[in-house]
Amino acid sequence: MPTSDPPTSDLSVTPRTVPPADRPDGDRRASDQHAAGVAGPSPTSGTGTRPGTGTVVAEEQAAPVPDPEPRPRRPVRVLEVLGRMDRAGVELRALNLLRRLDPAEFRLEFAVTSGAPGSLDDEIRELGSEVHYCRVDWLFPIRFLRLVRQVRPDVVHSAVATFSGVVLALARVGGVRRRIAYFVSSADRHGTSLRGRAQRAVGRWLLDRCATDIIAVSEAAMRGLWRETWRLDERCRVIYNGVELEPSGVAIAARRRAGEPEVDESDGVTVVHIARPDPLKNRVRAVEVFAALRARSVPARLRIVGRQDPAETAELTALAERLGVADDIEFTGEVREIPRLLAGSSLLLVTSLHEGMPTVVLEALAVGTPVLSADLPGVSEIARLLPGVTTLPLSASDVLWSDTAEMLTAIPPTLEQRREAMRLVRRSPFTMDTWQRDITAVWS
């Protein structure tokens, strides 16, 4: 009596075991392959019985059709929202990142809420990107939504303080899936008035509901613009600013030729203050501290570097004339090679009222130039990891500031000390490579 075959499925079959002598050669080969763990032809959904054997076998399957070539992945489109593309910390860092990005991976464009052209616009366009002017007024929502439909970004990366809440709310309406708030300062411009507090509260409320990621350049910036309990929010992350080290190395190498003196003593002490024209940068205090230093008979000069505003420049010039130091102050305007300027300076002076993490401090440390700064929390975070930073409260007298400046400039750093300073920065978390890796990881 024939034995019944085991049940079979639509996808595979298990043939009944028969003695080798009773099998045709094909069955014997299949059995040998099965015993050796070698896969034979893949079965199809049909089954049948080979004539003359009573053995259930699978019908042979046609050769599989190869998968089509995968489509190349579209680059991630990022729209970064800033105030104006001038030579300042966050804007220069964005430009450096644009130079580094692989266009097959990322497409970075900029929207400026001032609606005004900046000094970096032409260079951005030469690199194949674009600057979109989107001025903040009552038509801003319409302009920005139109821009989102035009650019179709995968990411909106907004660095306009708590106004980023409005930007990211509009990005959400426009269907942008990744919406990043990027805090680069420890305070916004709304102040402590009732209106200012209301604007700040609305911005934070919108951020809480519309931001997918919240990034700050320092813990101080995160606490100042977001909240003290930021560590409990899984969207929050601190990514320290980074600096390019190659220009620093070039600046140090150009500091002198072999055998030349380290410093030209006829130049005396050169103090540099680098900032944009903004009351928060407190250029007035820099002039006052410098005047106190000159009153100590220190042969010094002050370079005020950065974009000039005619009204502010007139105010600073009048102050310098009253203090008797107008002939010792130079307004240089914007300077492209900041590392070379810093390497040729005796001291970087930082008198800002608020900062997130000033990149210029990192640039000074990378060429071994000492820093005298207001005791800002972001600067203190740098000082915890790198030497070369001295801080004083802004409430301290100009005499104390000038005493400290004289002490820091008494002995110029040697060439080897500058090189060692750059090596320390390279081993720190404040490099452009680290910053780029962490930012693009969030974008991805």
Side-chain angles (χ1 to χ4, degrees), residues 38-298:
V38 179
S42 300
T44 66
S45 60
T47 60
T49 305
R50 189 178 297 279
T53 65
T55 303
V56 178
V57 297
E59 294 177 0
E60 294 182 357
Q61 179 181 357
V65 179
D67 293 334
E69 287 290 329
R71 282 178 147 184
R73 185 170 66 87
R74 180 173 78 90
V76 176
R77 299 183 70 92
V78 181
L79 181 64
E80 183 160 359
V81 182
L82 294 162
R84 179 173 171 175
M85 297 309 296
D86 279 325
R87 293 189 176 277
V90 62
E91 291 82 6
L92 284 171
R93 199 161 54 251
L95 178 62
N96 286 339
L97 181 59
L98 180 62
R99 293 191 189 103
R100 287 165 151 258
L101 289 176
D102 181 352
E105 293 286 336
F106 296 97
R107 166 73 181 177
L108 176 60
E109 298 185 19
F110 303 94
V112 292
T113 56
S114 66
S119 57
L120 300 178
D121 292 4
D122 291 341
E123 191 169 354
I124 288 169
R125 293 189 177 104
E126 288 172 3
L127 291 169
S129 184
E130 188 53 77
V131 180
H132 306 277
Y133 305 108
C134 201
R135 184 164 56 92
V136 173
D137 56 19
W138 66 279
L139 288 175
F140 175 77
I142 297 173
R143 290 194 191 99
F144 191 75
L145 285 173
R146 186 184 299 130
L147 178 60
V148 167
R149 286 195 296 270
Q150 173 190 337
V151 176
R152 298 179 62 193
D154 303 294
V155 180
V156 168
H157 180 108
S158 182
V160 285
T162 50
F163 186 72
S164 292
V166 176
V167 172
L168 298 188
L170 293 170
R172 182 177 181 180
V173 171
V176 181
R177 297 185 62 184
R178 175 139 285 183
R179 303 174 297 274
I180 302 170
Y182 186 49
F183 297 142
V184 298
S185 181
S186 58
D188 58 27
R189 298 178 180 276
H190 296 317
T192 58
S193 67
L194 179 60
R195 179 181 176 182
R197 293 197 302 270
Q199 288 175 320
R200 186 180 300 111
V202 170
R204 287 172 173 165
W205 184 84
L206 289 172
L207 282 172
D208 215 8
R209 283 148 185 80
C210 300
T212 60
D213 300 87
I214 300 173
I215 301 172
V217 298
S218 65
E219 294 180 13
M222 189 69 85
R223 290 192 302 269
L225 286 181
W226 191 230
R227 51 179 65 126
E228 291 287 341
T229 58
W230 65 272
R231 295 181 188 275
L232 302 178
D233 190 336
E234 63 182 7
R235 297 172 298 172
C236 293
R237 182 179 179 186
V238 170
I239 299 179
Y240 285 142
N241 288 345
V243 292
E244 294 276 11
L245 291 178
E246 183 179 353
S248 301
V250 171
I252 292 171
R255 186 72 187 98
R256 65 166 185 166
R257 296 191 301 272
E260 284 189 351
E262 181 65 20
V263 175
D264 184 352
E265 295 182 358
S266 63
D267 288 341
V269 171
T270 301
V271 179
V272 62
H273 187 279
I274 303 175
R276 65 180 183 272
D278 188 321
L280 292 177
K281 300 301 181 180
N282 201 9
R283 281 173 163 173
V284 168
R285 185 63 189 279
V287 173
E288 293 171 343
V289 170
F290 174 73
L293 181 64
R294 288 291 291 117
R296 302 174 66 84
S297 300
V298 176

Side-chain angles (χ1 to χ4, degrees), residues 357-372:
M357 176 167 284
T359 304
V360 68
V361 170
L362 297 172
E363 290 175 317
L365 297 179
V367 295
T369 297
V371 176
L372 176 57

Side-chain angles (χ1 to χ4, degrees), residues 18-30 50-53 55:
V18 296
D22 296 336
R23 295 194 192 114
D25 290 343
D27 289 342
R28 185 178 298 113
R29 284 193 299 271
R50 189 178 297 279
T53 65
T55 303

